[in-house]
Amino acid sequence: MIRALSYVIVGTPNLPAWQKQAAEHIGLQVEVVEPGRCVRLRADQKVQRLLLEACEGEPSMGMGFEVGDAEELEQAAQALTAAGYPITRGTEQENALRGVAGMLHFRDPDGVRIEVAWGLADAASPFVPGRPLGGFRTGELGIGHVALITAHFEQMCHLYKEVLGFKVSDRARAPFRVEFLHVNPRHHTLGIAHTGGPAKIYHMMLEYNDFDDLGRAYDMALADPECIGVTLGRHINDHVTSFYLKNPDGWMFELGWAGRTIGPDWEVEELQGMSLWGHDRTWLPPDKREEARQILKRLAAQGMRAPVVTTSQTAKARQ
Ligand SMILES: [Fe+2]
């Protein structure tokens, strides 16, 4: 039913800082809808991929998932209603702001706003990145992925798998329960983790087409090391090379490159760790950080490696 993560909606008390980071550091295109109130961020030819709205108090993040047409939106509406999720139809104003043809929204078991929409429009003008770069990998893969920490693991798994039709990519049971779910060839569109702590937004992943654009984002982060939430490293499951940049609201952007794609022959795996190398989580308590180091040492001793597969890079070698 769901085809991709189409866009993300952010409610932030730090709008000016978001605009600056989005354009200058990440390289997204900022389009001001209403100064100081509402901003669209573009990552490709679409009208928006992140919608930022100024708020007071607690920041929020919501996800907009794509369905193919009005009929599929009705199927989603019926499935959600049957599962006991009260839905609300998007108003004309909400749809226009997002650039979608139709939308409904509801709250997931943690209270996160989830939208289901179809017909996200192309913008009238070409994508102009905030800094020179070769664009973001989107298309049928959607804008990227989101990872959530949930306080309602079973209900969340039921919602996404049984109601919305996500498929499991892989999972880990230790040091905490996590499931990675896909809806298209992107290895995962959603990660759901149950750490025992309260629900929160962990990160949103954006994927550069070109490795050098990721390297430059890391250079910029190294000038202000406090903004690095997770150091450069490579994930064991989607094979993304990435680092995590703290955003002005305290949750993170994973800026990545060369995520692998998967097909119908995919077999669910039990993960031996989260990363092949790197990805030191600077925010973890010292004992958990040490545990992660030991896992990396074990994988290194096994010689575990993964091929780099990338098909969408735009850079050409210069003679
Ligand atoms: Fe991630």
Side-chain angles (χ1 to χ4, degrees):
M1 185 186 296
I2 302 295
R3 298 186 178 207
L5 176 63
S6 187
Y7 57 89
V8 156
I9 323 148
V10 171
T12 177
N14 306 299
L15 189 61
W18 266 86
Q19 284 179 236
K20 187 173 165 57
Q21 183 185 65
E24 295 173 17
H25 199 151
I26 302 172
L28 296 162
Q29 179 177 350
V30 172
E31 197 185 273
V32 175
V33 178
E34 195 185 332
R37 297 295 318 157
C38 181
V39 169
R40 286 167 167 168
L41 299 180
R42 288 181 59 190
D44 58 12
Q45 79 280 8
K46 295 296 179 187
V47 163
Q48 54 85 18
R49 288 300 196 168
L50 288 103
L51 182 65
L52 311 181
E53 292 181 283
C55 72
E56 284 170 15
E58 284 301 298
S60 65
M61 195 270 335
M63 289 175 280
F65 291 111
E66 177 190 333
V67 289
D69 51 29
E71 202 174 309
E72 287 186 22
L73 189 65
E74 285 319 302
Q75 287 169 12
Q78 283 170 21
L80 286 161
T81 306
Y85 289 93
I87 57 156
T88 307
R89 304 282 172 168
T91 63
E92 234 168 81
Q93 196 187 3
E94 284 173 323
N95 293 354
L97 189 54
R98 287 151 181 75
V100 298
M103 185 267 283
L104 64 80
H105 58 95
F106 66 100
R107 296 276 167 182
D108 80 6
D110 290 320
V112 173
R113 179 176 168 121
I114 307 297
E115 300 188 354
V116 181
W118 71 278
L120 178 61
D122 284 346
S125 58
F127 169 59
V128 181
R131 63 179 170 93
L133 51 77
F136 295 88
R137 193 176 182 200
T138 60
E140 68 160 346
L141 304 180
I143 182 63
H145 69 236
V146 166
L148 301 170
I149 294 172
T150 178
H152 303 89
F153 189 76
E154 300 301 336
Q155 292 106 302
M156 288 284 274
C157 287
H158 181 267
L159 167 65
Y160 282 101
K161 293 192 285 190
E162 312 306 328
V163 183
L164 296 175
F166 286 56
K167 300 273 181 283
V168 179
S169 304
D170 42 37
R171 56 170 67 96
R173 291 181 200 282
F176 48 80
R177 287 183 78 181
V178 53
E179 285 209 348
F180 295 92
L181 308 174
H182 65 270
V183 287
N184 60 43
R186 189 182 286 286
H187 174 278
H188 60 275
T189 286
L190 190 64
I192 307 173
H194 184 51
T195 60
K200 65 173 192 174
I201 312 303
Y202 180 33
H203 71 261
M204 173 188 187
M205 195 278 291
L206 293 167
E207 188 175 348
Y208 292 112
N209 286 324
D210 293 313
F211 193 30
D212 295 331
D213 295 331
L214 169 61
R216 290 192 178 124
Y218 201 54
D219 271 354
M220 278 185 264
L222 287 171
D224 174 24
E226 279 297 303
C227 75
I228 300 175
V230 182
T231 63
L232 194 69
R234 192 158 182 234
H235 278 303
I236 204 167
N237 58 353
D238 63 5
H239 296 172
V240 161
T241 299
S242 61
F243 77 99
Y244 291 47
L245 175 70
K246 290 180 196 162
N247 70 34
D249 291 346
W251 53 280
M252 294 183 283
F253 277 106
E254 179 181 7
L255 300 179
W257 172 75
R260 73 161 149 184
T261 54
I262 61 176
D265 57 342
W266 178 257
E267 286 176 24
V268 177
E269 285 178 12
E270 194 77 26
L271 298 171
Q272 294 184 54
M274 290 295 153
S275 304
L276 291 165
W277 52 267
H279 282 162
D280 184 15
R281 292 162 182 79
T282 58
W283 46 270
L284 276 178
D287 57 325
K288 289 283 174 196
R289 229 168 145 181
E290 182 52 33
E291 195 180 327
R293 276 189 209 109
Q294 293 306 321
I295 294 172
L296 292 186
K297 280 185 185 167
R298 195 161 67 232
L299 297 175
Q302 290 170 16
M304 184 187 274
R305 302 185 297 282
V308 173
V309 179
T310 174
T311 55
S312 58
Q313 54 194 323
T314 66
K316 302 260 188 299
R318 289 209 178 137
Q319 301 297 318

